[in-house]
Amino acid sequence: MFYLGIDVSKAKLDCCLLIDPDTLKRKTKTVDNSASGVGHLMVWLAKQGGDPSVIHAIIEGTGVYHQTACQALADEGVTVSIANPAHVKDFGKGLAVRTKTDTMDSFVLARYGALVKPAIWVPPAPEARALQALLARRDAIAQDLQRELNRQEKAEVAKAPALVQDSIVDAVTFLKNQLAKLQKEIDDHIDSHPDLKDDRTLLQSIPGVGPQVGNNLLSVMHNHPFRFAEQLAAYLGLVPVEHQSGSSVRGKARLSKAGRARIRAVLYMTAVTSIQHNPHIKALYQRLLARGRAKTRPPCFGVLKTRQPYASCYAHEG
């Protein structure tokens, strides 16, 4: 197996093909960060004797810039892993790598692949990727709308000129229309794909999980193949991190918060509502507190795993 480390930037892919992990023999190549660039990379790999079936590419998850390369490589038959940047950084420190260049970063990624053997990335279905994009756009519009509403309030208090207030009103009207349009497109998209529709129904069978929470969790769980509830919790940054050492350090466990803050905030409000109005979740919350566990643990993974609507017995698991 050849390990291919790829350092991603907006414009280019710096690649390091680790031919022999023992001697660290390697070759490097830089291509454009595009589907055609990956095509040139595949031609170069073939010249090095790298058939797609024996290549394991390791790429850091960097916003959106890695997505084109990952999909194009997977389409070519290359095994792909998307590495957590924090894990790779710690791995590089463990190797005593002090140089920070794109070429060295790709080399570290290749060695990370050879030694750690990270999990294989499974490309999400097209409908899952489309849902993710629609939700991201909806969130962006909702944030813009809130900013304009804040400006409107300030303009009214400050007695801003009529032209300024009219401009804000026009912007608010436009953004509200865009938000309604996007929400309809999201609902229509989910309704047109049975897998998404059925899973949203299961998620919303949980008291406290409304349309927005359900849609966001639906996107996360369809774009990432979680095998266990703990993996989902870790991705969302909801797992407790211990801080203890010897007999003197006895820090309180806290949530890692190493995930997408926006979804975590949505889940937090859902948990607060569920604790107040759902006796089963309230009982689970109190048991977790007594055991020093994380304070929020909604049973969203369970309903999709079992393909059964929410039942109170879920609250007694774990």
Side-chain angles (χ1 to χ4, degrees):
M1 181 66 75
F2 292 161
Y3 293 93
L4 178 67
I6 302 180
D7 184 70
V8 178
S9 65
K10 180 179 179 180
K12 61 188 177 73
L13 304 173
D14 288 280
C15 309
C16 176
L17 182 65
L18 186 59
I19 298 173
D20 187 342
D22 295 326
T23 63
L24 302 184
K25 180 182 178 182
R26 61 191 185 273
K27 293 189 177 182
T28 60
K29 176 76 171 176
T30 299
V31 298
D32 292 339
N33 187 0
S34 64
S36 61
V38 171
H40 293 313
L41 176 61
M42 296 307 300
V43 172
W44 177 77
L45 289 170
K47 292 179 180 179
Q48 314 309 316
D51 183 85
S53 63
V54 296
I55 295 175
H56 187 170
I58 298 86
I59 305 177
E60 281 186 342
T62 53
V64 299
Y65 295 126
H66 68 285
Q67 294 179 1
T68 296
C70 288
Q71 190 63 53
L73 286 167
D75 290 343
E76 291 285 350
V78 173
T79 299
V80 177
S81 292
I82 300 178
N84 185 317
H87 295 172
V88 177
K89 183 178 180 180
D90 290 342
F91 178 80
K93 289 180 179 178
L95 296 177
V97 174
R98 295 180 175 85
T99 303
K100 177 62 177 174
T101 65
D102 295 337
T103 300
M104 182 56 67
D105 288 346
S106 64
F107 177 46
V108 170
L109 281 165
R111 293 192 67 185
Y112 179 82
L115 294 174
V116 177
K117 306 290 193 303
I120 296 173
W121 175 69
V122 179
E127 61 267 22
R129 296 199 301 270
L131 176 61
Q132 186 178 46
L134 285 168
L135 288 172
R137 182 57 183 165
R138 184 199 177 282
D139 288 342
I141 294 294
Q143 291 172 9
D144 289 342
L145 175 59
Q146 187 58 56
R147 293 189 187 100
E148 286 298 314
L149 290 172
N150 293 341
R151 294 186 184 107
Q152 185 177 46
E153 181 181 3
K154 292 177 181 178
E156 291 173 352
V157 172
K159 300 290 192 285
L163 286 175
V164 172
Q165 297 199 43
D166 290 345
S167 174
I168 296 175
V169 169
D170 290 343
V172 168
T173 301
F174 171 77
L175 291 170
K176 284 183 176 179
N177 289 336
Q178 285 291 303
L179 199 60
K181 180 181 178 181
L182 279 167
Q183 188 58 59
K184 184 178 185 306
E185 290 177 353
I186 290 169
D187 292 337
D188 290 345
H189 178 75
I190 293 174
D191 288 340
S192 64
H193 293 89
D195 289 348
L196 294 177
K197 185 177 180 180
D198 291 346
D199 283 359
R200 181 174 66 173
T201 300
L202 288 170
L203 287 169
Q204 291 186 214
S205 71
I206 304 170
V209 175
Q212 294 308 322
V213 176
N215 290 348
N216 277 282
L217 282 173
L218 187 66
S219 175
V220 169
M221 297 173 76
H222 272 257
N223 277 280
H224 302 276
F226 302 112
R227 295 178 58 197
F228 309 105
E230 290 78 9
Q231 292 175 328
L232 172 60
Y235 176 83
L236 295 173
L238 297 175
V239 294
V241 176
E242 302 289 344
H243 184 59
Q244 298 183 6
S245 179
S247 59
S248 59
V249 180
R250 285 289 184 269
K252 183 179 180 181
R254 299 182 181 277
L255 295 183
S256 69
K257 297 185 179 180
R260 299 168 67 180
R262 176 182 56 81
I263 297 180
R264 193 163 54 248
V266 171
L267 283 174
Y268 173 78
M269 295 310 300
T270 299
V272 169
T273 301
S274 298
I275 289 167
Q276 292 176 343
H277 302 288
N278 185 331
H280 306 116
I281 297 297
K282 183 177 181 179
L284 171 61
Y285 167 78
Q286 291 172 340
R287 288 200 304 275
L288 290 176
L289 277 184
R291 291 157 54 185
R293 301 281 293 277
K295 295 184 180 181
T296 55
R297 190 184 177 189
C300 302
F301 184 86
V303 295
L304 299 192
K305 184 72 173 179
T306 63
R307 311 304 306 164
Q308 296 293 325
Y310 172 79
S312 61
C313 59
Y314 287 154
H316 296 287
E317 296 178 356

